[in-house]
């Protein structure tokens, strides 16, 4: 029988399996974590420091929260830009998602050529935003644009589109010979034109996501409901909408965040003029046109705070209403 050697050195206990798995996981995540720290967290901290200073190309002086106070002042230019941003989001999101859901319901049926239509519909989303926005700006041209040419051919009056700062309801009232009060002018025609372009770009992506959500709904539920005498509207209301709520919640969350951050196409099409001066456009102008880096950083952090608050509210509301 073997005996223990009291003079032999004791072996250190090896790491537990859980510890080894954790070290392996952090090792695999380390490249992404390093990139997140150096290219996201540190720039955010630097941006916050700049927002507390009078920073025009070079540092001048610390001003504390003066930039934030200026942005939040009652006569600040931030409030009109925020109103334009909310208007853009409030109109764009329901139209975009409603149309996407309708198209998804149609394409989910067994139709001839639906695969080709899905591909064609998705192309605007993968096309360069700057390039497609420039093309649409040309289509909206008052003199040479294709859209006004079609309107003229149909006997209508050409519109200024991206150059029109009047509200859409005001223009409709003028066409009908009615003068509307200031409070019901509606979004500018330029904003409506931008919303049309936004819908054209993103409806394909949203439809694809809705199609994925529809594919996860078991057909047995529809068959059982049909046996019980449920009609098409009852199937849609009591089965499709509730079971599609996680997908709908995700798209609402992503779309609202996207509309609040929208910049590229708005700048290419209007440069923020004629009622399209959103918060992102205002921040860009303060930074690159007026060289107010500190003030622009403060505007960016205020917009970030607003988006974060909306996201937290959506998460709270979604946890109560979404059927997972």
């Amino acid at each position: 029988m073997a005996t223990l050697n009291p003079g032999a050195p004791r072996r250190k206990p090896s790491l537990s399996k859980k510890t080894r798995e954790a070290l392996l996981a952090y090792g695999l995540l380390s490249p992404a974590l390093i990139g997140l720290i150096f290219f996201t967290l540190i720039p955010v901290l630097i941006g916050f420091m700049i927002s507390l200073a009078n920073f025009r190309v070079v540092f001048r002086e610390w001003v504390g929260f003066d930039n934030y106070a200026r942005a939040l002042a009652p006569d600040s230019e931030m409030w009109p830009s925020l109103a334009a941003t909310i208007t853009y989001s409030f109109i764009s999101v329901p139209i975009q998602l409603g149309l996407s859901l309708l198209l998804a319901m149609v394409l989910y049926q067994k139709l001839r050529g639906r695969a080709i239509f899905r591909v064609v519909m998705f192309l605007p989303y993968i096309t360069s935003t700057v390039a497609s926005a420039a093309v649409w700006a040309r289509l909206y041209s008052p003199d040479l644009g294709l859209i006004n040419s079609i309107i003229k051919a149909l006997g209508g009056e050409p519109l200024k589109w991206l150059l029109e700062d009047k509200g859409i309801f005001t223009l409709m009232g003028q066409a009908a010979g009615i003068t509307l009060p200031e409070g019901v002018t509606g979004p500018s025609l330029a904003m409506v034109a931008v919303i049309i372009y936004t819908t054209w770009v993103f409806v394909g992506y949203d439809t694809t996501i809705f199609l994925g959500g529809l594919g996860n709904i078991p057909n047995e539920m529809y068959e059982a409901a049909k046996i019980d005498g449920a009609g098409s509207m009852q199937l849609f209301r009591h089965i499709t909408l509730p079971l599609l709520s996680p997908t709908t919640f995700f798209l609402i969350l992503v779309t609202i965040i996207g509309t609040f951050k929208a910049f590229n196409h708005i700048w290419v099409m209007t440069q923020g003029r004629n009622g399209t001066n959103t918060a992102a456009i205002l921040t860009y102008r303060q930074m690159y046109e007026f060289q107010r880096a500190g003030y622009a950083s403060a505007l960016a952090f205020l917009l970030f705070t607003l988006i974060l608050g909306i996201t937290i509210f959506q998460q709270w509301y979604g946890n109560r209403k979404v059927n997972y």
Side-chain angles (χ1 to χ4, degrees), residues 176-190:
I178 302 173
T179 302
L180 298 177
E182 289 292 332
V184 292
T185 58
S188 66
L189 184 60

Side-chain angles (χ1 to χ4, degrees), residues 88 92 95-97 99-100 103 120-137 139-140 192-207 265 269:
Y88 173 65
S92 179
I95 294 176
Q96 182 178 317
L97 296 185
L99 182 59
S100 300
L103 289 174
V120 173
M121 186 179 57
F122 197 76
L123 289 178
Y125 180 74
I126 61 177
T127 304
S128 170
T129 304
V130 175
S132 60
V135 172
W136 272 80
L139 294 176
Y140 281 129
V192 173
V194 172
I195 291 173
I196 294 173
Y197 166 82
T198 303
T199 304
W200 174 78
V201 170
F202 291 100
V203 71
Y205 170 80
D206 296 337
T207 301
H265 58 281
M269 297 177 75

Side-chain angles (χ1 to χ4, degrees), residues 46-56 58-79 282-283 286-287 290-303:
I46 294 175
F48 181 71
M49 298 298 292
I50 291 176
S51 71
L52 301 177
N54 184 2
F55 200 101
R56 292 174 179 262
V58 296
F59 174 82
R60 292 189 177 185
E61 60 177 342
W62 293 107
V63 296
F65 289 95
D66 288 354
N67 289 322
Y68 292 91
R70 175 185 174 183
L72 295 173
D75 58 346
S76 171
E77 61 269 33
M78 185 191 74
W79 300 114
L282 176 64
T283 303
Q286 294 297 323
M287 179 69 185
F290 304 106
Q291 302 297 320
R292 299 168 181 164
Y295 183 55
S297 297
L299 290 173
F301 273 95
L302 289 173
L303 179 61

